[in-house]
Structures are given as structure tokens and as C-alpha cells.
Amino acid sequence: MNLIFLGPPGAGKGTIATLAAKHYGIPHISSGQLFRKHIEQETDLGLAISALMESGDLVPDTLTVSLIDQRLSKADAQNGFILDGFPRTIVQAKALQELTEVDLVINLNLDKEQILSRLSGRRYCKSTGRTYHIIYNPPKVDGIDDETGEALIQRDDDQPEAILHRLEVYEDQTFPLIDYYRSRNLLVDIDAAPAPEVIFTALKAELNQRLELG
């Protein structure tokens, strides 16, 4: 089962993809996590990616496709995968089509006010990558990671100005993917406003209907 998760920043793609990956036994492949691995290792590639992400811009297609291709070639992705954060452009979608088949594209819908609320309250642990939200998913101790005890931080791209810029980039370059995949009868729209467990229940129902999965 090869799935793509689409949706604006803050729609919960990572959260729902993680739940689905565990339930169906396939890897959740996040382009953002692949990027951050290079950033944390401070490679030349990581430094370039960091500058782009902090400004809210997209990483060049050729670079992103190469990273995804390497990840899809690993053994754990041979029986299926969930792509989160890729593709983001029509060029990337066509490149992915050359690499593998896509069974279904999940489009998580969320309005701008909800996006701003979710992202501006998001915090994360630098060493583990674990993400929290001060309202929806707070840590056990305010400002502290549950596992390591480290102080949580807010990413530069979760500041209000950066969020608005990311939404502009999404609308200009990524939103056309919805029409692209809808025209191929691969798109499934899901409301991303409810709690994660409600969204995941709706997702399972759609997958069961479209792909005959339990």
C-alpha cells in the first residue's frame, strides 16, 4: 500500500501518518525528517536545507527527489509506505511516478485560522524530534520533553510570519497537486479539524472502502 499525505502546514500529516504506519506495518517517510537529519549532522546539504526551511521556502525538486529515491530503495519500504511532505509540486509528483506507483492520496483539509493556531503553539525536542503542542498535545511538564528532560523549542518556521509565508508557498506550488491527483481518481478528502483519533478512524474507513483494507 503506497500512500501520499497532502495538506497545508499544521494539518496533522505527521501525526496521522504515524498512526497509520503503526497500524498497517509500513514506514512513515517524512521529507522533513530526512532534511533535519542532514541539518543536525551539519553537512553541506544540511546547511543549505536549513537556510531554505527557516525562510519557509521549498527545497529544490532534484535534491528532494534524490533523498526520497534513496529512502524508498530501503528494505522496509518494499511492501508499502506513507509519504509525508512529498511530493509538494507537480514536478515532484511526476518524478515520483517514475520511481513507483501510488495507490491513494490522502488530502487533509484545514482552514487558515486553525493552521495558525496549531503551528504557533507547536514545540519540539531537538534531539528526539518529538513534537508537542501547548494546547492540543502538551508535554507532562510545561516546556520539557517527556523522554529526555530537555527544554522544548519553537522552530523559526512556526513563527506567525513564517507560517503565513509557508501557506503562500503551499497555495502557489503545492495546492495544484490536489487537482492533479483528483483527476487521476487517487484523491481522498478528509477533514483535519477533529482530534487525531477521529481523523484516523475516518482514514481507516476510506482505505477499507477504496483499497479493501481492514
Side-chain angles (χ1 to χ4, degrees), residues 40-101:
E40 290 168 3
Q41 294 175 347
E42 296 185 344
T43 64
D44 289 341
L45 179 59
L47 294 174
I49 292 173
S50 179
L52 290 165
M53 292 182 69
E54 287 178 3
S55 66
D57 291 323
L58 297 177
V59 176
D61 290 328
T62 52
L63 177 57
T64 305
V65 171
S66 177
L67 290 175
I68 294 297
D69 188 18
Q70 292 177 23
R71 182 62 183 86
L72 292 180
S73 68
K74 294 188 176 181
D76 66 336
Q78 300 313 299
N79 292 323
F81 54 79
I82 298 171
L83 283 175
D84 164 21
F86 179 91
R88 293 192 179 189
T89 67
I90 298 297
V91 171
Q92 290 180 3
K94 291 180 177 179
L96 178 62
Q97 192 173 349
E98 296 296 320
L99 300 177
T100 187
E101 293 185 1

